[in-house]
Amino acid sequence: FELMLNDIVKCQSISISPPNENIVVNNPSRPWWERYQPISYKICTRSGNENEFRDMVTRCNNVGVRIYVDAVINHMCGEGGGAGTSSTCGSYFNAGNREFPAVPYSGWDFNDGKCKTSSGGIESYNDAYQVRDCRLVGLLDLALEKDYVRTQIANYLNNLIDIGVAGFRLDASKHMWPGDIKAVLDKLHNLNTKWFPGGSRPFIFQEVIDLGGEAITSSEYFGNGRVTEFKYGAKLGTVIRRWNGEKMAYLKNWGEGWGFMPSDRALVFVDNHDNQRGHGAGGSSILTFWDARLYKMAVGFMLAHPYGFTRVMSSYRWPRYFVNGQDVNDWIGPPNNNGVIKEVTINPDTTCGNDWVCEHRWRQIRNMVIFRNVVDGQPFQNWWDNGSNQVAFGRGNKGFIVFNNDDWSLSTTLQTGLPGGTYCDVISGDKINGNCTGIKVYVSSDGKAQFSISNSAEDPFIAIHADSKL
Ligand code: AAO
């Protein structure tokens, strides 16, 4: 667990990988996904132990950066996980006998008796009972209807809350009954008053993949907290790639107008750790750092637009290798030396080394996070489009953004809604000591400004906001 202060002062919160003890998978060698196979609730993984975790959370909270934990509570390791101590903290387990003495869990604590499929696994997503009572890709399914199981989970989450975390991503929420999740949440402590106002509750976002057409819908989970909106990244990728006749002009009613859940329920993102490598859902339209130019536009659009609670991805590079359109290296874990995760080094140009991509440090993305904070609460207005892939919109009198995703240049005068003055485009540069290292935009006293964006620009979009005024 290591975060750099330079990074964290720009974010408001960070969502981290599961911090609890997991199985060690050696075939393939230490895949990233081994962390989704819990062995115990000890804080003890390749990212560090409990003391190191406490240190990180304390340092982050002290500078106002919140930590959200990825909570894997639907299941333990896979049914074929074997027996022994091949776990990140050396705790003994026996997957075949359903024994996890370091929690402890035994056969009584799993859904083997409740699941009605002959394989014991989920065979159809059209049957809500299977999805919630049977094994997801063979992962041993915990019986969350039991108060004993709920209590073990709540003890784990309360330990994290007491350390200072601000909330949780509930992994595989679709595979748990909403009422069982609620029963666990009802057992949780208030947040630590060392950093949070008395009575503060943990921020909850549930991972539910609902692209439509299945038995389970996102809305069943609204009572427990926010829910991931997977349609968002899938659709935005399709639009920015201009697939299926989509164009940016159609984004005028982006949000609920596209059939998404209510904005105040949605957790949105362009890509996540699954669909950036073909796991989970969203398919090939998903944009990632591998398609950097389009990716920056998509993340820029997301951060400028008021819909949803936004999350930015931060990744590592891995050697992609496609066979019949499938990346056979989709399992490869973080950069490491003989299994030890490599440090996140910082290059002189502020990017990251050691194959860490650090999208959150890319100027265009970092500056759009600032844009989002500056325009927070401002209405979506002054929409303009050319009927194709040139669009623009503002956020009250605080910010304005223009995109050119067409194959020809954009040159036009637009109403920005901003007070007159000279603004620094935070995509092509930064405002540093009152000067602009990028394009300057002149807004006249009536709020209008002239924009020119070549279709071959490195980044074919421009963003200005109240704090980028020179
Ligand atoms: C690993 C191995 C497995 C092995 C297992 C146990 O890969 O071969 O059987 O261990 O030994 C991650 C990895 C898994 C890994 C697992 C445990 O992704 O490969 O298994 O760790 O190590 C479903 C769930 C969703 C889940 C997603 C990956 O609903 O919750 O699968 N995401 C989370 C995490 C993820 C993690 C787990 C859960 C498990 O983010 O990292 O798994 O803790 C449909 C359903 C979705 C379903 C997908 C994929 O999606 O709707 O609910 O997600 O299928 O199975 C169209 C449809 C869309 C559909 C999609 C894909 O787009 O519109 O609905 O196609 O078919």
Side-chain angles (χ1 to χ4, degrees):
F1 300 106
E2 182 54 43
L3 294 166
M4 296 143 290
L5 280 177
N6 273 343
D7 284 345
I8 62 186
V9 292
K10 276 149 200 147
C11 315
Q12 293 168 317
S13 55
I14 301 170
S15 176
I16 62 161
S17 292
N20 64 304
E21 181 173 25
N22 61 262
I23 196 169
V24 169
V25 172
N26 288 309
N27 185 20
S29 178
R30 309 302 307 266
W32 63 268
W33 45 253
E34 69 172 35
R35 294 186 71 157
Y36 289 88
Q37 301 198 29
I39 294 298
S40 82
Y41 298 134
K42 293 178 190 164
I43 301 176
C44 187
T45 67
R46 280 209 280 181
S47 291
N49 61 30
E50 181 161 333
N51 284 336
E52 290 163 313
F53 181 77
R54 281 178 187 275
D55 177 55
M56 175 187 75
V57 173
T58 301
R59 285 185 295 125
C60 287
N61 275 331
N62 285 346
V63 293
V65 172
R66 305 310 178 203
I67 300 291
Y68 302 128
V69 163
D70 193 345
V72 185
I73 60 174
N74 169 67
H75 52 262
M76 299 299 280
C77 69
E79 56 191 325
T85 54
S86 180
S87 50
T88 51
C89 224
S91 295
Y92 174 81
F93 64 97
N94 184 329
N97 294 344
R98 316 293 191 248
E99 280 176 64
F100 295 88
V103 177
Y105 285 136
S106 68
W108 302 104
D109 303 318
F110 292 87
N111 273 334
D112 296 280
K114 207 177 174 194
C115 169
K116 300 282 184 286
T117 65
S118 54
S119 64
I122 298 166
E123 294 171 2
S124 166
Y125 275 90
N126 294 323
D127 175 353
Y129 291 89
Q130 286 187 33
V131 176
R132 288 163 174 156
D133 296 338
C134 299
R135 293 193 282 269
L136 163 63
V137 293
L139 298 161
L140 297 174
D141 204 53
L142 284 165
L144 267 88
E145 68 184 9
K146 289 187 61 181
D147 189 63
Y148 174 79
V149 172
R150 294 172 179 175
T151 301
Q152 303 314 305
I153 293 170
N155 288 346
Y156 164 49
L157 302 184
N158 280 330
N159 180 33
L160 295 166
I161 287 174
D162 296 347
I163 287 172
V165 311
F168 303 99
R169 167 191 186 265
L170 299 184
D171 179 67
S173 291
K174 187 184 195 171
H175 305 279
M176 298 184 277
W177 292 92
D180 288 343
I181 293 178
K182 180 176 189 305
V184 170
L185 297 180
D186 285 346
K187 289 179 188 285
L188 298 186
H189 296 169
N190 288 335
L191 299 184
N192 189 324
T193 52
K194 186 168 175 202
W195 296 289
F196 303 91
S200 298
R201 298 299 293 162
F203 178 79
I204 301 296
F205 57 106
Q206 302 158 94
E207 188 227 8
V208 178
I209 296 175
D210 175 9
L211 295 173
E214 286 184 14
I216 293 169
T217 59
S218 302
S219 59
E220 298 171 50
Y221 292 84
F222 292 168
N224 293 330
R226 293 227 177 213
V227 183
T228 51
E229 179 50 278
F230 274 83
K231 291 172 187 159
Y232 193 101
K235 291 288 184 192
L236 191 55
T238 309
V239 173
I240 304 279
R241 289 180 188 276
R242 305 187 303 188
W243 285 359
N244 307 339
E246 294 285 8
K247 14 178 123 157
M248 287 190 82
Y250 298 157
L251 296 173
K252 186 174 184 179
N253 66 340
W254 184 243
E256 290 93 343
W258 277 60
F260 302 166
M261 66 181 75
S263 176
D264 65 351
R265 299 289 91 214
L267 187 291
V268 300
F269 45 93
V270 173
D271 62 329
N272 77 351
H273 71 283
D274 284 326
N275 62 19
Q276 71 168 200
R277 47 173 55 72
H279 285 237
S284 52
S285 74
I286 297 295
L287 286 166
T288 71
F289 68 86
W290 294 107
D291 315 283
R293 191 166 183 266
L294 297 182
Y295 186 66
K296 285 179 278 184
M297 272 198 272
V299 175
F301 183 87
M302 173 183 79
L303 290 170
H305 196 280
Y307 180 85
F309 190 100
T310 51
R311 179 178 63 189
V312 166
M313 183 66 194
S314 190
S315 315
Y316 57 81
R317 236 168 259 109
W318 73 97
R320 287 202 300 182
Y321 188 68
F322 288 98
V323 176
N324 298 326
Q326 286 270 101
D327 175 13
V328 296
N329 283 343
D330 67 342
W331 57 272
I332 290 184
N336 65 87
N337 283 319
N338 297 320
V340 180
I341 296 180
K342 283 187 190 168
E343 196 189 339
V344 182
T345 52
I346 305 297
N347 301 322
D349 68 357
T350 78
T351 60
C352 294
N354 279 342
D355 274 331
W356 296 99
V357 182
C358 294
E359 295 92 317
H360 66 287
R361 284 184 149 253
W362 294 5
R363 182 189 64 243
Q364 301 84 344
I365 293 177
R366 160 170 53 82
N367 284 348
M368 284 307 299
V369 171
I370 296 171
F371 180 108
R372 187 171 193 78
N373 291 332
V374 169
V375 305
D376 186 37
Q378 295 291 319
F380 173 82
Q381 58 188 202
N382 291 314
W383 174 270
W384 167 85
D385 66 69
N386 69 341
S388 185
N389 291 289
Q390 300 182 350
V391 304
F393 63 93
R395 296 291 305 277
N397 59 1
K398 296 281 193 199
F400 194 74
I401 190 163
V402 190
F403 294 86
N404 178 13
N405 197 25
D406 271 327
D407 296 330
W408 59 89
S409 287
L410 174 154
S411 183
T412 190
T413 299
L414 299 170
Q415 174 54 252
T416 66
L418 298 182
T422 303
Y423 291 79
C424 183
D425 165 34
V426 297
I427 304 304
S428 57
D430 290 296
K431 175 181 152 187
I432 297 177
N433 300 327
N435 291 317
C436 181
T437 61
I439 296 166
K440 286 181 188 158
V441 177
Y442 305 95
V443 176
S444 54
S445 54
D446 62 359
K448 290 186 177 162
Q450 156 74 28
F451 292 91
S452 297
I453 306 176
S454 162
N455 53 305
S456 58
E458 182 185 344
D459 295 303
F461 64 118
I462 287 179
I464 55 177
H465 59 75
D467 285 1
S468 83
K469 194 169 183 216
L470 298 174

